[in-house]
Amino acid sequence: MSLAQDIEVLRCVPLFAGLADEQLRLLAFSGERVSLAAGAPALAAGNAPDGAHVVLSGRVQVVDSLRRRRGEDDGARLGPGSLVNDAALIAEIDHPLAIVADGPCELLHLRRAVFRRLLAEFPDVAVRLHAELTARFVAFADDLARIGARLDE
């Protein structure tokens, strides 16, 4: 893939959709392209990665070892334009699930340090990200409240 193609994939990622071309170019240019064969791990469960991955081509699968032990289907399959482990762009956190290639795929590894530089150089991006994360947190809290109400019944 070319830099222009990487930028177009990044533009499709909801978290990055409002970024200017210059900002997307910074992310794409500083990202590290990772090629994986089917079944190869992109991220092991319990690791604290230094950033996130954007699926450029192919698909990755979220693997929940608890679901697998119970004989249930593994987690979601994510295709091009999917951002994997976005919280790691902001904070150093352990990722609870493994991510493996569901076939040959190519990812763009975005490092936390570069993302923080983007936020420092473009404060408007930081403001927009804050609003996005706040909306996600409110939606998550609402979901928990609905689940709690059902459990109380």
Side-chain angles (χ1 to χ4, degrees):
M1 282 189 127
S2 70
L3 182 63
Q5 290 170 318
D6 292 352
I7 291 169
E8 288 310 309
V9 172
L10 288 173
R11 192 180 315 280
C12 295
V13 175
L15 189 63
F16 305 143
L19 297 182
D21 288 345
E22 174 187 8
Q23 297 158 345
L24 291 169
R25 190 174 298 107
L26 172 64
L27 285 176
F29 183 74
S30 62
E32 176 187 351
R33 206 171 270 110
V34 179
S35 295
L36 298 173
L43 179 61
N47 284 355
D50 69 346
H53 290 89
V54 174
V55 180
L56 296 173
S57 66
R59 299 180 78 72
V60 295
Q61 182 177 13
V62 178
V63 178
D64 181 339
S65 59
L66 179 59
R67 290 175 61 124
R68 186 173 269 183
R69 283 193 302 263
R70 291 190 305 220
E72 297 174 6
D73 184 34
D74 284 328
R77 287 174 173 77
L78 307 170
S82 297
L83 180 60
V84 180
N85 198 28
D86 55 350
L89 289 172
I90 308 295
E92 186 175 331
I93 58 169
D94 290 343
H95 193 270
L97 305 172
I99 307 294
V100 299
D102 197 38
C105 67
E106 192 165 15
L107 310 175
L108 186 65
H109 179 100
L110 304 175
R111 296 197 188 292
R112 181 181 313 113
V114 172
F115 192 72
R116 286 182 176 172
R117 183 175 135 213
L118 177 77
L119 296 178
E121 290 182 20
F122 301 98
D124 58 311
V125 174
V127 170
R128 197 177 64 71
L129 177 65
H130 181 268
E132 168 76 19
L133 294 175
T134 299
R136 285 186 189 182
F137 181 74
V138 168
F140 179 68
D142 289 346
D143 288 346
L144 287 177
R146 280 192 295 279
I147 292 168
R150 281 191 239 150
L151 291 175
D152 286 341
E153 293 175 356

